[in-house]
Amino acid sequence: MLFTSVLRALPAALLFSGTQATPLDFESRQISIDAFITTQTTASINGVLANIGGGSKAPGVPAGIVVASPSRTNPDYWYTWTRDAALTYKALIERLVHGDTTLRQKVDDYVSSQAKLQGVTNPSGGPTTGGLGEPKFNVDMTQFTGAWGRPQRDGPPLRATALAIYANWLADNGNKTYAVNTVWPVIANDLAYAVQYWNQTGFDLWEEVNGSSFFTLAATHRALAEGAALATKLGQTCTGCATAAPQVLCFMQSFWTGSYIDSNINVNDGRTGKDANSLISSIHTFDPSAKCTDATFQPCSSRALANHKAVTDSFRSVYAINKGVAQGKAIAVGRYSEDVYYNGNPWYLTTLAAAEQLYSALYQWDKVGSITVDSVSLAFFQDLVPSVTAGTYAKGSATYTSITSAVKTYADGYIAIIQKYAPSNGGLAEQFDKSTGSPLSAVDLTWSYAAFLTATERRAGIVSPSWGENFNNLPPTSCTGTPACNAKITFNVRATTTFGDNIFVTGQLTQLGNWDPNSAKALSASQYTSSDPLWTTSIDLPASTVFEYKYIRKTSAGAVVWESDPNRRYTTSAGCGSSATVNDTWR
């Protein structure tokens, strides 16, 4: 009966429709937000399903595989990204939990396909040597071997979260055996990866910056916290989850600058760090049972609201279509203001993320029963209600009502941006032009469709189940950190040199300088002889990790000489604290 009542409570537009979206003429686009949401929801769910194996725009693609976009040239997005697929299926699983049982087979297909992908050896490694951090695969589930920003450590925790929601639902609806035997093994692999690699750098969700990503850490904290609880529920073990989770949360605090979240740290990327990465983090880790917790950057927290203002304001002057829009009014939002991809434009999914955070905050304030305005969040609130001052305003008070009304209007403004710049047939690309609003880059981006579904569901008060934030929101008083799972690798290379020359090693790992000669690691000539020109050094590197590297020679004149191609390739030894030696000869 509970299941039936939930199903009936869903708005009709949120239930799956197998019919294709009907193109809309120009006049019908000029309709209310509610009516637009109804039609665009149908287009969006159809858009998602069309891009999954067996769908109309994913011909020949295996069941359960999410194609990022049907676009195969300029740009070529005919791949399956672990991150995109996980966020897409999280949206579908949430719909399943709320009663759309037509999605059950699709979700089971996802479980099966991901179990197979976890076993595919790829440039990031094998199933137990870092391969789960590979960002994308060919749509036929084979490895992608081209150059790319790898590893990307957000994929495993995102997939673990999507499947944890499903496993909990299965266990609560008489399918615990299936959850234990089929779903949990996939989750367990991803959680083991997260435990081992959370404190190693990697590429951010935009696959451009190799450092410490706030989004990756936020996704990892949630996955470890809910993974530990799920393991207990299913009678399984999540080794290291409960101990790593608070340390991840502790590390997350270092991204807070005092006025916004610096989305990428431990890297010199020349950016302010004001990045929609942080908006997407807030909506992914939203817990409907949580209070406005600063430590977990919940949507209604002072930190998350101040960050919302900082990030969105950073786009007010960089896009022509935002020109003249006043503070406190919605604008088109991109990834980050310094973006140059396709000359830097707004994205549908980032604009929707700005709306979704606000809808989630409204949900939380309603449950908490009050709104607190403090020195951190005051500027955000004053953009919307200029007369507001610091204080706590109870639900039902005039100030509470004026704030929530203003926030709702503000959030709806972001949906109106989508309405204004979406094509008449409801197709959502990746970007829209910063001067004209015309769609750009990949057509029918699956993530864009999924982002519309989750934003408008939050607007309707339809939320994901709690992940236990209330029991996992207190960071330790000091970040001692989980001991890094490193292996000590000794690099030996025989390279004949002249006086004043020095040999260095560099490669794709942060510990090797990310291919930057200025950050390369020096080798010692202390054992060098004319008969054995040995250069050597020992470096702590992540255990069970595949990487590419090369040696370089820096001459006394300051020139940098790289050894000949191809890149060298090595897999570090397994086991925390293990050691191994690499013996090479300069070529």
Side-chain angles (χ1 to χ4, degrees):
M1 292 301 293
L2 175 61
F3 176 83
T4 302
S5 66
V6 170
L7 180 60
R8 290 175 177 170
L10 275 169
L14 292 177
L15 297 178
F16 167 64
S17 169
T19 60
Q20 294 297 310
T22 302
L24 309 174
D25 59 27
F26 179 80
E27 289 76 12
S28 64
R29 290 175 56 200
Q30 313 307 306
I31 54 181
S32 71
I33 292 294
D34 289 341
F36 168 69
I37 288 173
T38 298
T39 56
Q40 185 60 49
T41 295
T42 299
S44 294
I45 186 62
N46 287 339
V48 167
L49 298 179
N51 288 351
I52 296 176
S56 62
K57 295 184 178 180
V61 175
I65 292 297
V66 178
V67 177
S69 161
S71 178
R72 304 196 192 197
T73 58
N74 300 321
D76 182 4
Y77 281 13
W78 189 247
Y79 298 97
T80 183
W81 270 264
T82 303
R83 174 204 59 239
D84 294 41
L87 290 171
T88 297
Y89 261 99
K90 177 173 177 278
L92 294 181
I93 291 167
E94 288 176 353
R95 294 172 71 86
L96 170 62
V97 167
H98 284 291
D100 188 353
T101 56
T102 65
L103 297 172
R104 174 69 189 274
Q105 186 58 55
K106 292 286 185 186
V107 176
D108 287 341
D109 291 341
Y110 176 65
V111 176
S112 299
S113 70
Q114 299 310 292
K116 292 178 181 177
L117 277 182
Q118 286 182 338
V120 175
T121 297
N122 56 68
S124 292
T128 60
T129 57
L132 272 63
E134 181 68 5
K136 70 177 185 179
F137 295 84
N138 296 319
V139 297
D140 64 358
M141 301 177 67
T142 59
Q143 63 173 324
F144 168 73
T145 58
W148 206 254
R150 53 171 67 94
Q152 190 172 337
R153 306 194 193 282
D154 57 14
L158 291 173
R159 181 166 55 197
T161 280
L163 293 180
I165 297 171
Y166 185 43
N168 272 301
W169 179 81
L170 288 168
D172 292 341
N173 287 275
N175 289 285
K176 183 176 180 180
T177 299
Y178 182 76
V180 171
N181 295 336
T182 304
V183 185
W184 173 254
V186 182
I187 299 172
N189 287 339
D190 284 334
L191 294 176
Y193 180 92
V195 168
Q196 181 171 349
Y197 292 106
W198 73 263
N199 57 351
Q200 300 290 344
T201 54
F203 281 84
D204 72 331
L205 81 166
W206 309 131
E207 300 173 332
E208 297 174 341
V209 175
N210 191 3
S212 298
S213 164
F214 181 76
F215 177 74
T216 300
L217 271 295
T220 299
H221 175 250
R222 170 176 176 167
L224 293 176
E226 65 189 334
L230 177 63
T232 299
K233 183 174 185 175
L234 298 181
Q236 303 299 303
T237 301
C238 185
T239 304
C241 289
T243 54
Q247 291 303 325
V248 176
L249 182 61
C250 198
F251 183 32
M252 285 171 58
Q253 311 313 303
S254 61
F255 291 80
W256 177 244
T257 66
S259 56
Y260 67 91
I261 298 165
D262 185 346
S263 287
N264 293 293
I265 64 174
N266 295 330
V267 62
N268 183 17
D269 59 4
R271 303 177 188 171
T272 64
K274 297 173 184 177
D275 190 315
N277 164 324
S278 55
L279 303 182
I280 299 170
S281 301
S282 183
I283 63 177
H284 175 70
T285 57
F286 162 57
D287 188 322
S289 298
K291 295 181 172 59
C292 300
T293 317
D294 272 335
T296 57
F297 300 87
Q298 286 299 297
C300 65
S301 68
S302 294
R303 286 180 175 182
L305 295 171
N307 180 72
H308 187 286
K309 173 177 168 57
V311 172
T312 55
D313 280 356
S314 71
F315 297 105
R316 292 188 180 275
S317 62
V318 297
Y319 300 151
I321 58 176
N322 290 339
K323 185 177 181 180
V325 179
Q327 292 291 138
K329 301 297 183 182
I331 54 170
V333 176
R335 301 192 299 174
Y336 49 92
S337 63
E338 304 91 347
D339 197 0
V340 296
Y341 182 55
Y342 273 79
N343 202 29
N345 296 286
W347 286 39
Y348 292 101
L349 68 92
T350 51
T351 303
L352 287 162
E356 184 171 340
Q357 182 188 330
L358 300 177
Y359 292 134
S360 299
L362 286 164
Y363 183 95
Q364 291 180 312
W365 288 324
D366 182 67
K367 296 300 179 185
V368 171
S370 64
I371 296 174
T372 296
V373 179
D374 60 20
S375 60
V376 174
S377 60
L378 181 60
F380 167 85
F381 287 108
Q382 286 185 333
D383 276 350
L384 306 179
V385 183
S387 62
V388 75
T389 58
T392 297
Y393 303 98
K395 184 176 178 180
S397 67
T399 302
Y400 178 96
T401 300
S402 63
I403 289 174
T404 53
S405 176
V407 171
K408 174 66 159 45
T409 299
Y410 186 34
D412 282 352
Y414 289 102
I415 303 298
I417 295 289
I418 304 302
Q419 179 183 11
K420 182 176 181 178
Y421 296 117
S424 58
N425 66 356
L428 297 181
E430 180 182 69
Q431 307 173 38
F432 50 105
D433 190 274
K434 61 186 174 185
S435 298
T436 67
S438 299
L440 281 177
S441 187
V443 298
D444 294 311
L445 192 78
T446 313
W447 192 0
S448 294
Y449 289 128
F452 186 87
L453 295 175
T454 57
T456 53
E457 285 170 3
R458 300 301 176 262
R459 182 180 188 267
I462 300 169
V463 297
S464 181
S466 171
W467 56 267
E469 190 274 352
N470 288 332
F471 306 102
N472 295 278
N473 60 17
L474 186 63
T477 54
S478 63
C479 298
T480 57
T482 300
C485 188
N486 288 335
K488 186 172 292 295
I489 306 301
T490 298
F491 291 87
N492 289 335
V493 61
R494 268 73 183 182
T496 302
T497 56
T498 59
F499 184 77
D501 290 357
N502 287 286
I503 302 298
F504 296 76
V505 62
T506 188
Q508 70 183 105
L509 297 177
T510 300
Q511 294 86 345
L512 298 179
N514 289 323
W515 296 112
D516 180 0
N518 295 320
S519 301
K521 303 304 178 184
L523 278 71
S524 169
S526 61
Q527 301 178 53
Y528 185 103
T529 66
S530 57
S531 60
D532 185 16
L534 175 65
W535 291 81
T536 185
T537 189
S538 295
I539 306 173
D540 287 334
L541 301 177
S544 302
T545 298
V546 178
F547 66 96
E548 293 185 352
Y549 69 102
K550 269 188 176 181
Y551 297 101
I552 60 176
R553 181 197 312 263
K554 295 186 180 181
T555 70
S556 57
V560 175
V561 180
W562 292 77
E563 64 172 342
S564 300
D565 287 336
N567 293 340
R568 299 180 184 272
R569 187 176 176 85
Y570 186 72
T571 303
T572 57
S573 54
C576 304
S578 59
S579 62
T581 299
V582 181
N583 289 297
D584 295 319
T585 300
W586 176 276
R587 61 192 183 202

